[in-house]
DNA sequence: GCGATACTCACTGAG
DNA sequence: TGAGTATCGC
C-alpha cells in the first residue's frame, strides 16, 4: 500500500545526529498515525480503516524501534497474512533502516510456525523433514479414511469431515477433547471422532502436519514444553500482527503464548545486552513481549475459516492496559467511493461506528451497469478498460473482482477476444496441478520416506503396471514385517508379484535411492545449492515420468512438460536465493506460497481476482462484477450465522480497493452448470445512495427494454434508475419477491443488438487491413481503423457503426470480411 | 491393469 | 460446463 501523504521528500544533507534519526519516520504523519508509531507499552491496538496508511505506520514503527536502539532486529517478530505482504514489509523496513533489517522475522503465521516446528520437531516425535499437507493432500487422506470407516453411510462426506476437523483444529480441539463434549450416543458422531483420531494418527505416522496443525501444534509445543516456549519468549520482544481481525483462535493462542512473561528460573541469554527496555536487568523475571496488532473489524472476511472477530473487539479486555489508536483518515479513495463504502458497511448493526473520510474531493461518480448476460457484462468491463487505457491509465492499475472463481471464465473469454491483457490471480494454482503434485510427491518420498501418501502417489506414475492389488500387497508386506511402505519397495522379490512388476518397483526404488544421495548426502556433508534442482531433474528423468508425458499424444501433456520445466526452474531460482537451502526448506516454501503472493504488477495487465484475494491491494480503477443476489451475498452465506454480514464486509473490502474509479456491474441472467438462470440485483446496491451512482444501464433499463413487465424490478427502479431516486424504496429490500415471479429474460433478449455472446471462431489467417469493412456477430458492421500485432496476436481496431470503437483479436473474433 | 466411455455432481472464499 | 469417478470390455 502506498499513501501519498506519507511519502517523505528525502531530506537534503547528511542525517548526522541521533536526535534527528527519527525525523523522516515521523514527518507527514497525522496525529493518530504519529501516536501509533511512537507509543511504547505492553500492548497497542491500531484500528486501521481501509486505506488509512497502516502499512506505513507498521513499517515506521518497526524502523523506529530499530533506529532508537530499543530492539535488535532479532527481537522483532512481525506477522502478516500473505508472503507477499511479508516481502513488501521487509522491503519497506529495509528502505528505512537498511542492513539493520536483517535478522528480523517478518513472515506469515504459517511460515513462522514451520520455522519453529522444524527446529523443535524432535522434541515431540517428528523429524525436521516433516511434510506439510495442503488441503488437497489432507482431503485425499480423509477420503481414504471415510471409505475405510464406511462412514458415508452416516452421511459423512470427505468434504464435511475435512471442514469439521479444520474448524476444530482452529479451536485447538483434538479428537479427545471433542469426544468429551460430543453426543457420543449418535453413531455418526462416533464415526466422526474415530476418523478424526485416525486422521491424526496417520499424520503423525507420516511425519506430517496439515495446514491447521502448523499453528495448533506450535501452540501445543509451547504449552507442553514451557522451556522451549521460553526461548522464543526471550527472543521475541516486539511482536506485531497485521490483519488481526482475521486471526482464528489458534493464532490468537499462539500470540498469547509468545507474549507471556518468562518465569524466573531459567538463564536469560539476552538480558546482558542491555536491550531490555521494560525491566531492570536485575529483575527476576522477564515481562511479556510488547504486542502491536493492526486490524479493522469491517474487513473481517475469513470467519468461514475460523477467524474470530472477537480477537480484535475484545483486545482491550485480553490485554489490560492496551492503548487503542484509531486511523480513520483515508488516503486512498475519493469521497464518493468512501461514501458508498460507509453507507454499505453502515448496514451492519454489530459494529462500532467508524466513518472513513478523505480530503481528496468527491472524484468521479461510481459507474453502474447491468448486462443481459455475463458476457454482456464482461463486454462492458472490457470496453471501459479500453476507454480508461486510452485516457492514459495503465492496465496494471485496473482490477476486476468477482465473488467466485467460476465467474472469471466469461470475463476471460471477452478479454481474450477484445485483446485486453489480463492475468488471473488464483484459480487453478500452479502447485495444485497434477504433474506438479507428482513431482512434489517424488521429492517428498525422498525427503520424508515416512510419508506413505506421497510414495503411494508415485507408485504407478508413470505407469509401471502397479494397480490396487500390488499396492495392497506392498502395504500388507510392510505391515507383516514391521517396516515402512517405502522400505518394502526395496525388496520387490519378496512381495509375491510378477517379474514385470518387480522390475518396475526395483527401478523406482533405485531412482529414489539415487536421488537420496544427491539431496541428502550421508554424514554431515552439506549438499551443494543446486542439489534440489538436480535431484528433481534426476527424479523426473530417470523415473520415466517425463518420457511418458513426451510420448503421450494428449495435447495437454505438452503443457504438463512445460509446467515441469517451470518447476525445475523454480528449484534453480530457489538455489540462487537460498544457497544453503535444503530440500526441506524448498518443500516448505512451495507448500506455503499462495495466490496472493505472486501478484506482480510489472507486466502491465489487468488483474482479475476474487474479492477475498483483493484484500490489502489497491488500484486506480476497480470493477466489482456480479453484484447480484445469490452471488454477493452468496446463496450459501444465508444459512451461516453472520453470513450476510460477512458478505457485506467482503463487498466493502472490494469497493474500498478503488482509488479513483469504481464500477459496479451485474448481469440479468447468468449461466451456471450449463443452465441459464435469472439473477436479481444485489441488496447491497440499494444500500448505496442513488446520487453516487451513474447508471449506464440500470436493472430497470434492461427490464423495460427487454419487454419484461416485472413488478419486482419496476418497484426497484427508483433506487436504480436515473439518479433521481427519493430513496423511498430503499427499505423494501428484504421483501425480495420469489425468484419465479420473473420469467427468464432470454426469450426477449434475442432482439438486442448489443447482446454479447461468448462466441469464438477460428479465422485461421484472415487478412485485414485498415479501411476494410467487416461484420461482427455481436456488434454488427464496422470499419477497420488499424491492424497491430503479429501472427496469432494480430489485433484489429474497429470502429463499429453502432457499437463504437473496439479492439478484436483477429484470429478468434466472430467476424467476416465484407 | 488399462483405457475408453458414461455418468454424476458441483461453484463460495483461502492458507 | 467440465472434472472426477464408476463401469465395462479388452
Amino acid at each position: 500500500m502506498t499513501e501519498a501523504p506519507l511519502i517523505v521528500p528525502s531530506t537534503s544533507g547528511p542525517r548526522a545526529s541521533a536526535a534527528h534519526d527519527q525525523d523522516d519516520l515521523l514527518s507527514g504523519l497525522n496525529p493518530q498515525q504519529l501516536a501509533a508509531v511512537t507509543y511504547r507499552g505492553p500492548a497497542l491496538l491500531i484500528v486501521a480503516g481501509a486505506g488509512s496508511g497502516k502499512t506505513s505506520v507498521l513499517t515506521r514503527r518497526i524502523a523506529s524501534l530499530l533506529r532508537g536502539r530499543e530492539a535488535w532486529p532479532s527481537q522483532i517478530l512481525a506477522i502478516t497474512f500473505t508472503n507477499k505482504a511479508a516481502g513488501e514489509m521487509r522491503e519497506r523496513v529495509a528502505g528505512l533502516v537498511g542492513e539493520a533489517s536483517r535478522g528480523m522475522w517478518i513472515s506469515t503465521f504459517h511460515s513462522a510456525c514451520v520455522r519453529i516446528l522444524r527446529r523443535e520437531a524432535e522434541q515431540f516425535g517428528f523429524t525436521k523433514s516433516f511434510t506439510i499437507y495442503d488441503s488437497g493432500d489432507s482431503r485425499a487422506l480423509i477420503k481414504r479414511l471415510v471409505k475405510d470407516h464406511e462412514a458415508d453411510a452416516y452421511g459423512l462426506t470427505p468434504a464435511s469431515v475435512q471442514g469439521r476437523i479444520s474448524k476444530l483444529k482452529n479451536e485447538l480441539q483434538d479428537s479427545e477433547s471433542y469426544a468429551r463434549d460430543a453426543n457420543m450416543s449418535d453413531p455418526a458422531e462416533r464415526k466422526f471422532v474415530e476418523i478424526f483420531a485416525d486422521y491424526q494418527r496417520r499424520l503423525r505416522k507420516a511425519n506430517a502436519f496439515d495446514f491447521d496443525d502448523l499453528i495448533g501444534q506450535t501452540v501445543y509445543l509451547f504449552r507442553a514444553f514451557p522451556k522451549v516456549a521460553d526461548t522464543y519468549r526471550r527472543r521475541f520482544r516486539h511482536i506485531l500482527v497485521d490483519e488481526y481481525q482475521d486471526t482464528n483462535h489458534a493464532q490468537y493462542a499462539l500470540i498469547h503464548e509468545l507474549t507471556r512473561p518468562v518465569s524466573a528460573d531459567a538463564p536469560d541469554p539476552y538480558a546482558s545486552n542491555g536491550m531490555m527496555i521494560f525491566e531492570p536487568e536485575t529483575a527476576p523475571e522477564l515481562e511479556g513481549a510488547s504486542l502491536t496488532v493492526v486490524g479493522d473489524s469491517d474487513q473481517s472476511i475469513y470467519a468461514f475459516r475460523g477467524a474470530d472477530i472477537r480477537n480484535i473487539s475484545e483486545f482491550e479486555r485480553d490485554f489490560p492496559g492496551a492503548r487503542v489508536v484509531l486511523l480513520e483518515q483515508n488516503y486512498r479513495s475519493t469521497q464518493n467511493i468512501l461514501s458508498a463504502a460507509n453507507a454499505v458497511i453502515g448496514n451492519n448493526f454489530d459494529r462500532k461506528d467508524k466513518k472513513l473520510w478523505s480530503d481528496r474531493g468527491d472524484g468521479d461518480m461510481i459507474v453502474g451497469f447491468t448486462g443481459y448476460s455475463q458476457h454482456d457484462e464482461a463486454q462492458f468491463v472490457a470496453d471501459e478498460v479500453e476507454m480508461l487505457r486510452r485516457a492514459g491509465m495503465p492496465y496494471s492499475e485496473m482490477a476486476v473482482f468477482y465473488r467466485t472463481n467460476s465467474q472469471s471464465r466469461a470475463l476471460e473469454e471477452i478479454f481474450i477476444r477484445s485483446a485486453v491483457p489480463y492475468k488471473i490471480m488464483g484459480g487453478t494454482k500452479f502447485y495444485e496441478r497434477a504433474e506438479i503434485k507428482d513431482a512434489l510427491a517424488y521429492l517428498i518420498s525422498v525427503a520424508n520416506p515416512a510419508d506413505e501418501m506421497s510414495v503411494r502417489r508415485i507408485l504407478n506414475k508413470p505407469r509401471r503396471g502397479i494397480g490396487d492389488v500390488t499396492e495392497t500387497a506392498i502395504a500388507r508386506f510392510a505391515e507383516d514385517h514391521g517396516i515402512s511402505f517405502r522400505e518394502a519397495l526395496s525388496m520387490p522379490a519378496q512381495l509375491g508379484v510378477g517379474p514385470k512388476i518387480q522390475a518396475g518397483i526395483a527401478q523406482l526404488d533405485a531412482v529414489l535411492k539415487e536421488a537420496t544421495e544427491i539431496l541428502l548426502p550421508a554424514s554431515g556433508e552439506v549438499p551443494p545449492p543446486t542439489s534440489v534442482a538436480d535431484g528433481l531433474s534426476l527424479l523426473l528423468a530417470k523415473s520415466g515420468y517425463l518420457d511418458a508425458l513426451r510420448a503421450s499424444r494428449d495435447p495437454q501433456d505438452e503443457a504438463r512438460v512445460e509446467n515441469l520445466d517451470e518447476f525445475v526452474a523454480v528449484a534453480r531460482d530457489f538455489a540462487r536465493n537460498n544457497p544453503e537451502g535444503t530440500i526441506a526448506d524448498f518443500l516448505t516454501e512451495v507448500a506455503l506460497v499462495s495466490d496472493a503472493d505472486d501478484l506482480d504488477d510489472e507486466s502491465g495487465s489487468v488483474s482479475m481476482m476474487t474479492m477475498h484475494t483483493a484484500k490489502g491491494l489497491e488500484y486506480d480503477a476497480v470493477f466489482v462484477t456480479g453484484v447480484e443476489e445469490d452471488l454477493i451475498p452468496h446463496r450459501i452465506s444465508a444459512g451461516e450465522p453472520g453470513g450476510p454480514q460477512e458478505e457485506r464486509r467482503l463487498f466493502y473490502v472490494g469497493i474500498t480497493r478503488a482509488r479513483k474509479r469504481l464500477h459496479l456491474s451485474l448481469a440479468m441472467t447468468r449461466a451456471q452448470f450449463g443452465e441459464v438462470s435469472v439473477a436479481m440485483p444485489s441488496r447491497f446496491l440499494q444500500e448505496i445512495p442513488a446520487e453516487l451512482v451513474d447508471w449506464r444501464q440500470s436493472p430497470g433499463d434492461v427490464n423495460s427494454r427487454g419487454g419484461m413487465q416485472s413488478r419486482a424490478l419496476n418497484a426497484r427502479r427508483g433506487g436504480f434508475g436515473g439518479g433521481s431516486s427519493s430513496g423511498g424504496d430503499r427499505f423494501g429490500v428484504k421483501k425480495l419477491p420469489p425468484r419465479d415471479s420473473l420469467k427468464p429474460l432470454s426469450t426477449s433478449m434475442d432482439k438486442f443488438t448489443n447482446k454479447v455472446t461468448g462466441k469464438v471462431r477460428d479465422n485461421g489467417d484472415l487478412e485485414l487491413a485498415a479501411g476494410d469493412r467487416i461484420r461482427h456477430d455481436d456488434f454488427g458492421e464496422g470499419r477497420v481503423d488499424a491492424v497491430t500485432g503479429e501472427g496469432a496476436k494480430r489485433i484489429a481496431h474497429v470502429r463499429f457503426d453502432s457499437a463504437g470503437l473496439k479492439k478484436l483479436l483477429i484470429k478468434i473474433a466472430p467476424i467476416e470480411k465484407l
Side-chain angles (χ1 to χ4, degrees), chain A residues 402-419:
Chain A
Y402 35 82
R403 177 66 235 269
T404 68
N405 277 308
S406 58
Q407 288 168 250
S408 66
R409 198 186 308 158
L411 288 160
E412 257 188 289
E413 282 169 11
I414 299 292
F415 272 44
I416 291 174
R417 222 174 60 168
S418 309

Side-chain angles (χ1 to χ4, degrees), chain A residues 377 381 398-404 407-408 411 606-619 621-627 632 650-658 662-663 665:
Chain A
E377 177 191 23
V381 175
M398 304 182 221
V400 184
F401 301 158
Y402 35 82
R403 177 66 235 269
T404 68
Q407 288 168 250
S408 66
L411 288 160
V606 179
S607 301
M608 300 212 251
M609 68 194 84
T610 66
M611 281 181 245
H612 281 92
T613 308
K615 188 172 74 162
L617 305 172
E618 57 181 299
Y619 296 88
V622 161
F623 296 81
V624 180
T625 64
V627 190
I632 175 90
L650 184 57
F651 186 57
Y652 173 80
V653 166
I655 60 189
T656 52
R657 303 303 96 198
L662 176 63
H663 305 74
S665 61

Side-chain angles (χ1 to χ4, degrees), chain A residues 259-435:
Chain A
T259 51
R260 264 180 214 289
V262 180
S263 46
D265 51 329
D268 180 357
Y270 287 95
S272 56
N273 63 26
M275 283 301 118
M276 299 297 97
I277 59 167
F278 299 123
E279 45 108 46
E281 293 186 63
T282 52
E285 61 175 43
L286 186 61
E287 280 183 56
S290 154
L291 175 65
T292 303
V293 306
V294 188
D296 176 4
S297 37
D298 287 339
Q299 294 185 61
S300 166
I301 53 174
Y302 285 107
F304 71 90
R305 197 169 81 187
D308 191 342
I309 208 163
R310 281 174 308 185
N311 289 345
I312 196 162
S313 53
E314 293 174 13
F315 184 80
E316 290 164 84
R317 203 203 59 200
D318 292 335
F319 299 89
R323 168 82 186 268
V324 179
V325 175
L326 242 77
L327 306 181
E328 285 184 300
Q329 184 173 0
N330 175 294
Y331 295 101
R332 179 188 299 154
S333 312
T334 62
Q335 190 59 48
N336 277 344
I337 292 168
L338 291 182
S339 299
N342 283 330
V344 168
I345 201 68
N347 285 278
N348 272 2
F349 50 80
D350 62 348
R351 62 187 279 276
K352 282 184 200 159
D353 198 37
K354 172 158 57 69
K355 284 257 185 281
L356 293 178
W357 60 279
S358 162
D359 57 8
R360 331 203 115 181
D362 286 347
D364 295 319
M365 278 179 79
I366 295 164
V367 175
F369 182 86
T370 310
Y372 300 98
S373 66
Q374 53 203 335
H375 292 111
D376 201 19
E377 177 191 23
Q379 187 65 52
F380 161 75
V381 175
D383 287 348
E384 204 70 7
V385 161
E386 279 305 306
M387 221 181 66
L388 291 171
R389 179 72 201 92
R390 284 196 292 271
M393 189 184 288
Y395 288 125
S396 58
E397 276 305 329
M398 304 182 221
V400 184
F401 301 158
Y402 35 82
R403 177 66 235 269
T404 68
N405 277 308
S406 58
Q407 288 168 250
S408 66
R409 198 186 308 158
L411 288 160
E412 257 188 289
E413 282 169 11
I414 299 292
F415 272 44
I416 291 174
R417 222 174 60 168
S418 309
V420 177
Y422 69 91
K423 61 189 161 174
I424 293 198
M425 271 57 248
T428 316
K429 300 159 200 168
F430 182 70
Y431 291 106
E432 281 174 15
R433 291 167 202 269
E435 63 276 16

Side-chain angles (χ1 to χ4, degrees), chain A residues 115-167:
Chain A
R115 254 171 116 169
I116 294 169
L117 287 172
R118 289 234 190 264
R119 282 188 198 186
E120 314 293 344
E122 271 126 34
Q123 305 265 5
F124 64 131
F126 290 83
T127 78
K128 278 189 198 336
S129 54
F130 61 78
T131 315
I132 300 164
Y133 278 19
D134 68 18
S135 42
D137 301 331
S138 71
R139 172 73 58 98
L141 177 52
I142 287 171
K143 209 169 186 176
R144 272 234 320 273
L145 292 176
V146 167
K147 216 170 188 175
D148 290 354
H149 288 261
E150 290 168 344
D152 40 347
Y154 299 89
L156 297 175
T157 63
S160 71
V161 171
Q162 185 183 30
R164 286 175 67 190
I165 290 179
S166 172
K167 272 216 168 68

Side-chain angles (χ1 to χ4, degrees), chain A residues 686 713-720 725-733:
Chain A
Q686 310 238 355
L713 281 170
N714 285 338
R716 297 164 136 250
R717 286 199 66 187
F720 291 116
S725 162
S726 62
D729 62 350
R730 282 190 52 205
F731 296 102
V733 197

Side-chain angles (χ1 to χ4, degrees), chain A residues 550-562:
Chain A
R550 291 204 186 97
S552 154
R553 43 183 192 82
D554 181 343
Q556 289 197 357
D557 285 341
E558 213 174 301
R560 297 206 171 96
V561 173
E562 280 170 28

